[in-house]
Amino acid sequence: ERDANKTSLSEIEERIKGLTEKFNEQISFKNSISENLKSLNKQNEEQLSVVMKGKLETTKLQDELSTLEKEVQNCGTKIQVYENRKRILEEMQAEHEGYAGSVKKLLKESEKNSAFREKMVGVLASLISVPEKFETAIETALGNALQNIVTKNENDAKSLIEFLKQGQFGRATFLPISSMKPRNLSQEERNLLKVNGCFGVAKDLISYGSEIESVISNLLGSTVIVDTLDTAIRIAQNSKFSFKIVTLDGDVINPQGSMTGGSKKSEAVNLISRDREIKTLGEEIAKLKALFDNGDERIKAKKLELQNAMKQFEFISSKQKELEVEIAKENEKLVSVSQLVSDYENEIQNLNN
């Protein structure tokens, strides 16, 4: 019986020893898994940050592509609108739209008759260039004179008047360069213009050929352009109403004191702004076409950039998912090993008892 008890005790000790070894192995394995999980979780956090940045980058590129496509589309629309407007203006210019019938007849006749054309320097509106800012003021200052025909001398004007009479084409006013007398402000009057809001004498604010200097001086040499009616009144009072003053809105203080103003519907302004608008539209169309022609290449480049970013995003996303799968597997291992450790621990305690 004693021998049997000794054998049984020896077996228990051996069993405890074996279980203890397995317990220590599993503890070591558990610690190893825990450390690996810690490392994997850290990698996962870093990878999630990279994924988030990648997502933000692709979203940013998608927005940029969308904006670029809209810009190119709008560019195409603007080109069509501007080209239509330019074509209409050029057609109006070719047909001399806006001019009186008699003036239009003279212009059309000059296009097909070189001898006739030699008698005309041109319509005043076509001989001057006016900054956009001053168009309304100059149009008001000149009024119907914009449609006057400039000639070299009185004989040319007489010949053109005879043409109108013979054809019963109506009446027109002519401005012979040889007979037009310059009308300029005196130095004393010019000194009165040195105030805020006064832009100066009208003839100095526009561009024109030197050959029509006498015509422009006659029509605009004693006209002053200012910003507002308040400025006009102040200068007029100081000058004792001795010259014409016109505001940017087209209000007028005439010599001797009469005032003209209010709202107005002007057709004549088109005569002096038409050339400028055609030129401006041409420049804008050229710029827009350059952007539009380059638009397809820019869109292709942006799409390629987005495509590469999305591939990179898919790659880093897949790597992050692989990490999550690996973490899940390691967690399963940890649960399994923890259970084994618990089982071994319980069995060793039972055997010791």
Side-chain angles (χ1 to χ4, degrees):
E1 189 177 343
R2 285 181 183 175
D3 290 339
N5 287 337
K6 284 181 181 179
T7 300
S8 178
L9 185 59
S10 175
E11 287 175 353
I12 290 171
E13 287 174 349
E14 282 296 320
R15 178 66 177 157
I16 289 171
K17 183 180 178 183
L19 287 171
T20 301
E21 287 177 0
K22 289 180 179 180
F23 173 80
N24 290 333
E25 286 175 5
Q26 293 304 315
I27 285 291
S28 177
F29 190 29
K30 180 182 177 182
N31 290 338
S32 175
I33 293 171
S34 295
E35 285 298 316
N36 193 32
L37 269 172
K38 186 178 178 182
S39 175
L40 288 172
N41 282 322
K42 184 179 179 182
Q43 290 178 48
N44 192 42
E45 284 179 11
E46 292 171 352
Q47 196 67 15
L48 278 170
S49 177
V50 173
V51 168
M52 184 58 68
K53 286 180 182 176
K55 186 175 182 179
L56 289 172
E57 179 64 18
T58 54
T59 301
K60 175 172 164 281
L61 288 172
Q62 285 170 337
D63 290 343
E64 287 176 356
L65 176 61
S66 177
T67 300
L68 182 56
E69 287 174 334
K70 285 177 183 176
E71 283 178 359
V72 172
Q73 185 180 1
N74 290 340
C75 205
T77 303
K78 278 186 179 180
I79 289 171
Q80 288 181 337
V81 172
Y82 288 179
E83 283 183 335
N84 287 339
R85 174 63 178 164
K86 184 169 179 280
R87 176 178 52 77
I88 290 169
L89 288 173
E90 287 171 338
E91 288 174 358
M92 289 175 68
Q93 190 176 53
E95 292 299 316
H96 310 297
E97 291 294 330
Y99 289 105
S102 57
V103 176
K104 191 182 293 188
K105 183 64 181 176
L106 289 168
L107 290 170
K108 285 188 175 292
E109 188 66 25
S110 71
E111 289 172 358
K112 56 186 179 183
N113 186 331
S114 59
F116 192 90
R117 185 166 60 249
E118 283 296 314
K119 298 179 186 297
M120 294 175 56
V121 176
V123 183
L124 183 61
S126 68
L127 298 176
I128 61 175
S129 178
V130 183
E132 185 177 1
K133 180 178 181 178
F134 301 121
E135 282 175 356
T136 298
I138 296 297
E139 177 262 322
T140 303
L142 289 171
N144 291 332
L146 279 168
Q147 298 203 34
N148 292 354
I149 306 293
V150 179
T151 62
K152 293 177 182 176
N153 52 56
E154 297 93 323
N155 287 332
D156 287 343
K158 178 185 173 184
S159 177
L160 296 174
I161 289 171
E162 287 298 322
F163 170 80
L164 292 175
K165 279 183 179 179
Q166 289 172 9
Q168 294 187 332
F169 297 127
R171 297 167 66 83
T173 299
F174 298 87
L175 305 171
I177 293 172
S178 59
S179 64
M180 296 295 288
K181 304 300 180 190
R183 289 190 297 174
N184 297 307
L185 297 182
S186 66
Q187 187 57 52
E188 185 181 351
E189 288 172 328
R190 279 183 172 272
N191 289 338
L192 297 174
L193 308 184
K194 297 175 182 178
V195 296
N196 289 334
C198 179
F199 299 105
V201 178
K203 85 179 189 69
D204 299 332
L205 302 175
I206 66 174
S207 301
Y208 53 89
S210 59
E211 71 277 7
I212 63 169
E213 174 66 36
S214 63
V215 174
I216 300 301
S217 290
N218 178 276
L219 296 173
L220 297 174
S222 59
T223 298
V224 173
I225 307 298
V226 300
D227 55 357
T228 65
L229 199 52
D230 287 335
T231 304
I233 291 170
R234 188 163 66 252
I235 294 174
Q237 289 172 341
N238 291 337
S239 67
K240 295 182 173 56
F241 299 89
S242 58
F243 48 82
K244 182 188 283 187
I245 306 172
V246 184
T247 72
L248 294 179
D249 288 336
D251 297 325
V252 184
I253 296 182
N254 297 294
Q256 285 79 52
S258 66
M259 297 173 68
T260 305
S263 62
K264 64 187 182 66
K265 182 179 179 181
S266 174
E267 298 292 339
V269 70
N270 291 329
L271 300 179
I272 59 176
S273 68
R274 193 181 291 162
D275 284 340
R276 174 191 56 76
E277 191 173 354
I278 288 172
K279 182 182 177 183
T280 301
L281 284 169
E283 292 170 352
E284 285 300 313
I285 289 167
K287 289 178 186 176
L288 288 168
K289 279 187 174 179
L291 287 172
F292 186 77
D293 293 342
N294 191 34
D296 284 341
E297 290 302 316
R298 289 164 64 205
I299 287 172
K300 283 180 185 176
K302 187 61 68 176
K303 281 182 176 178
L304 181 61
E305 190 179 356
L306 175 60
Q307 187 179 358
N308 290 336
M310 289 183 75
K311 282 182 180 177
Q312 180 64 17
F313 176 68
E314 288 170 6
F315 174 75
I316 59 177
S317 293
S318 67
K319 287 294 181 184
Q320 192 269 325
K321 286 175 183 175
E322 287 175 8
L323 272 173
E324 286 185 344
V325 169
E326 193 174 350
I327 288 169
K329 287 179 180 179
E330 289 298 299
N331 275 321
E332 286 178 6
K333 284 182 187 178
L334 185 62
V335 170
S336 178
V337 170
S338 296
Q339 186 60 51
L340 276 175
V341 168
S342 179
D343 291 345
Y344 288 146
E345 189 174 20
N346 289 334
E347 192 172 350
I348 290 169
Q349 283 178 354
N350 290 336
L351 287 170
N352 281 326
N353 290 336

